[in-house]
Amino acid sequence: MAANAYDVIVIGGGPAGCGAAIALARRGFRVLLLEKARLPVHKLCGEFLSVEVMALFERLGVAGAVRRAGPHRIDETLVTTADGAAFRSPLPGTGLGLSRRTLDRLLFAHAAAAGADTRDGVTARALTGSLASGFSVTTTAGTFTARLVLGAWGRRGRLDRTLGRRFLAEKTPFVAFKAHFEGLEIPGVVELHAFAGGYCGLSHVEDGRVNVCWITHRDRLREAGGRPEGMIARTFGEHAALARRFGRLRRVTDFCAVAQISFAVKGPMEGDVPMIGDTAGMIAPLCGDGMAMALHSAEMAAAHADAFLRGRADAEAFRRGYPRAWRDAFAGRLRLGRWMHHGYVRPLAASLAVRALAGMPALGRWLIRHTRDAAQT
Ligand SMILES: Cc1cc2nc3c(=O)[nH]c(=O)nc-3n(C[C@H](O)[C@H](O)[C@H](O)COP(=O)(O)OP(=O)(O)OC[C@H]3O[C@@H](n4cnc5c(N)ncnc54)[C@H](O)[C@@H]3O)c2cc1C
């Protein structure tokens, strides 16, 4: 086999891409994993790993390493609104707080240890080909070929434009930013505080730090001068519980920010390229389940890829089978997550919903269950 030829090229080294690369390299395939950032890097995320992630980590063979990385254990959630409504509930198990800087580096290293050729600091610029003829991927480090390419480049990127993906036509008004802070102790709880046009999540990660992550309508950010600091100051005035938290916090990292956050179903297959994780569709952040979905879709795609690469399933079976499995597993959850997001960013709807949850805790448990994959717990 030529030096630049692989069975599979995985584009993107987040949880989805690393999960797929680990699973396929362990099965003995020649895998190239491309990541445009030089690791480790801070990434925009609430950094809350939902309860069902641990089962996925166990199957991937990384659970021990994740535990050794010192994640914060989280078994309770607190949801509030600016007018003082609050709902506190135990989680259906123990979730984890771990920074993406630590988690993504750990998963990338495991992909290398599993036998994948891992390259960070390398950007995929274009891709052509089909399941019948094979693929060619042009990158900042040369051109590579493979029988299969998996799209794992996350929320939105240049390859979406190259492939002419339809979701790009939908303009989305949401922006998000996050940073790590010290000075506040909120052990064992993931907090979500709603304000007009957005919400803010707080929870501990390793080393006692608190990750604070906001998502908001871009108009709200504009009104606040376009800067995270302005946005924080503005939200203080509206939300007493959030203001109390912030009075004690000291920022220890720069802000990470992203714009144009879409909760659309982008599609699990584009041409002949299977998409995994956020590249197929991202669940609204308030569900706290994006990383579990990324890892789960990677596991599903790896099983379909295995059958195709070993000749047990032809190209047509792959084209039909993976998207069907993806839709069965995720389409309903993505829809429910979208409704919850759009309700929670509207003060009246958020207040009514949180008061209803406080009065009917069973409804809260139902929502948690239906935005999650029960099969993983
Ligand atoms: C505000 C906010 C808060 C969130 N909070 C949580 C939370 O608390 N818990 C949770 O589970 N989920 C959360 N999520 C969702 C979660 O971040 C994603 O679902 C998860 O990161 C998806 O993983 P992924 O591997 O698909 O994509 P990503 O993690 O985005 O990884 C994609 C990777 O591809 C790389 N890449 C992009 N383009 C290229 C290219 N051309 N060539 C090579 N590499 C490329 C990127 O650098 C990146 O590392 C949140 C999302 C948002 C927006």
mmCIF file of all heavy atoms in Angstrom, residues 177 224 227-234 251 255:
data_model
loop_
_atom_site.group_PDB
_atom_site.id
_atom_site.type_symbol
_atom_site.label_atom_id
_atom_site.label_comp_id
_atom_site.label_asym_id
_atom_site.label_seq_id
_atom_site.Cartn_x
_atom_site.Cartn_y
_atom_site.Cartn_z
ATOM 1 N N PHE A 177 -19.707 31.648 24.229
ATOM 2 C CA PHE A 177 -18.326 31.825 24.693
ATOM 3 C C PHE A 177 -18.163 31.166 26.051
ATOM 4 O O PHE A 177 -19.139 30.873 26.743
ATOM 5 C CB PHE A 177 -17.919 33.308 24.709
ATOM 6 C CG PHE A 177 -18.878 34.218 25.408
ATOM 7 C CD1 PHE A 177 -18.682 34.572 26.734
ATOM 8 C CD2 PHE A 177 -19.978 34.739 24.741
ATOM 9 C CE1 PHE A 177 -19.562 35.419 27.382
ATOM 10 C CE2 PHE A 177 -20.861 35.593 25.387
ATOM 11 C CZ PHE A 177 -20.653 35.932 26.715
ATOM 12 N N ALA A 224 -24.495 44.523 24.252
ATOM 13 C CA ALA A 224 -23.540 44.614 25.360
ATOM 14 C C ALA A 224 -22.141 44.989 24.859
ATOM 15 O O ALA A 224 -21.144 44.716 25.529
ATOM 16 C CB ALA A 224 -23.504 43.287 26.114
ATOM 17 N N ARG A 227 -18.670 42.287 23.510
ATOM 18 C CA ARG A 227 -17.595 41.653 24.259
ATOM 19 C C ARG A 227 -18.175 40.800 25.387
ATOM 20 O O ARG A 227 -19.142 41.194 26.039
ATOM 21 C CB ARG A 227 -16.650 42.697 24.859
ATOM 22 C CG ARG A 227 -15.878 43.473 23.777
ATOM 23 C CD ARG A 227 -15.026 44.547 24.400
ATOM 24 N NE ARG A 227 -14.135 44.027 25.433
ATOM 25 C CZ ARG A 227 -12.988 43.412 25.197
ATOM 26 N NH1 ARG A 227 -12.577 43.250 23.966
ATOM 27 N NH2 ARG A 227 -12.247 42.972 26.191
ATOM 28 N N PRO A 228 -17.564 39.621 25.641
ATOM 29 C CA PRO A 228 -18.075 38.759 26.709
ATOM 30 C C PRO A 228 -18.192 39.481 28.050
ATOM 31 O O PRO A 228 -19.188 39.321 28.753
ATOM 32 C CB PRO A 228 -17.029 37.642 26.801
ATOM 33 C CG PRO A 228 -16.336 37.628 25.490
ATOM 34 C CD PRO A 228 -16.427 39.017 24.935
ATOM 35 N N GLU A 229 -17.205 40.325 28.378
ATOM 36 C CA GLU A 229 -17.240 41.015 29.679
ATOM 37 C C GLU A 229 -18.501 41.876 29.794
ATOM 38 O O GLU A 229 -19.140 41.928 30.844
ATOM 39 C CB GLU A 229 -16.012 41.918 29.874
ATOM 40 C CG GLU A 229 -14.700 41.191 30.062
ATOM 41 C CD GLU A 229 -14.034 40.832 28.743
ATOM 42 O OE1 GLU A 229 -14.678 40.944 27.677
ATOM 43 O OE2 GLU A 229 -12.859 40.418 28.773
ATOM 44 N N GLY A 230 -18.850 42.562 28.678
ATOM 45 C CA GLY A 230 -20.039 43.406 28.661
ATOM 46 C C GLY A 230 -21.290 42.571 28.850
ATOM 47 O O GLY A 230 -22.223 42.945 29.560
ATOM 48 N N MET A 231 -21.294 41.419 28.195
ATOM 49 C CA MET A 231 -22.442 40.509 28.274
ATOM 50 C C MET A 231 -22.620 40.006 29.716
ATOM 51 O O MET A 231 -23.742 39.957 30.234
ATOM 52 C CB MET A 231 -22.127 39.326 27.342
ATOM 53 C CG MET A 231 -23.173 38.274 27.295
ATOM 54 S SD MET A 231 -24.548 38.844 26.292
ATOM 55 C CE MET A 231 -25.844 37.932 27.092
ATOM 56 N N ILE A 232 -21.508 39.676 30.357
ATOM 57 C CA ILE A 232 -21.576 39.171 31.734
ATOM 58 C C ILE A 232 -22.150 40.258 32.641
ATOM 59 O O ILE A 232 -23.086 40.029 33.402
ATOM 60 C CB ILE A 232 -20.172 38.744 32.225
ATOM 61 C CG1 ILE A 232 -19.686 37.537 31.424
ATOM 62 C CG2 ILE A 232 -20.195 38.406 33.717
ATOM 63 C CD1 ILE A 232 -18.213 37.241 31.615
ATOM 64 N N ALA A 233 -21.599 41.468 32.521
ATOM 65 C CA ALA A 233 -22.062 42.569 33.379
ATOM 66 C C ALA A 233 -23.552 42.796 33.175
ATOM 67 O O ALA A 233 -24.308 43.003 34.121
ATOM 68 C CB ALA A 233 -21.274 43.826 33.061
ATOM 69 N N ARG A 234 -24.000 42.729 31.927
ATOM 70 C CA ARG A 234 -25.398 42.979 31.627
ATOM 71 C C ARG A 234 -26.303 41.900 32.227
ATOM 72 O O ARG A 234 -27.367 42.189 32.779
ATOM 73 C CB ARG A 234 -25.550 42.983 30.105
ATOM 74 C CG ARG A 234 -26.683 43.817 29.658
ATOM 75 C CD ARG A 234 -26.838 43.738 28.177
ATOM 76 N NE ARG A 234 -28.208 44.090 27.893
ATOM 77 C CZ ARG A 234 -28.564 45.238 27.362
ATOM 78 N NH1 ARG A 234 -27.661 46.107 27.020
ATOM 79 N NH2 ARG A 234 -29.826 45.495 27.149
ATOM 80 N N ARG A 251 -11.404 34.997 36.585
ATOM 81 C CA ARG A 251 -11.136 34.294 35.317
ATOM 82 C C ARG A 251 -9.659 33.912 35.209
ATOM 83 O O ARG A 251 -8.787 34.722 35.489
ATOM 84 C CB ARG A 251 -11.545 35.190 34.144
ATOM 85 C CG ARG A 251 -11.399 34.520 32.796
ATOM 86 C CD ARG A 251 -12.275 35.210 31.763
ATOM 87 N NE ARG A 251 -11.941 36.614 31.589
ATOM 88 C CZ ARG A 251 -10.977 37.051 30.781
ATOM 89 N NH1 ARG A 251 -10.238 36.207 30.087
ATOM 90 N NH2 ARG A 251 -10.735 38.343 30.678
ATOM 91 N N PHE A 255 -11.152 33.857 26.921
ATOM 92 C CA PHE A 255 -12.446 33.398 26.432
ATOM 93 C C PHE A 255 -12.257 32.645 25.113
ATOM 94 O O PHE A 255 -11.444 33.032 24.284
ATOM 95 C CB PHE A 255 -13.385 34.588 26.175
ATOM 96 C CG PHE A 255 -13.958 35.185 27.434
ATOM 97 C CD1 PHE A 255 -13.540 36.430 27.882
ATOM 98 C CD2 PHE A 255 -14.923 34.508 28.154
ATOM 99 C CE1 PHE A 255 -14.070 36.982 29.036
ATOM 100 C CE2 PHE A 255 -15.462 35.056 29.314
ATOM 101 C CZ PHE A 255 -15.028 36.289 29.762
#
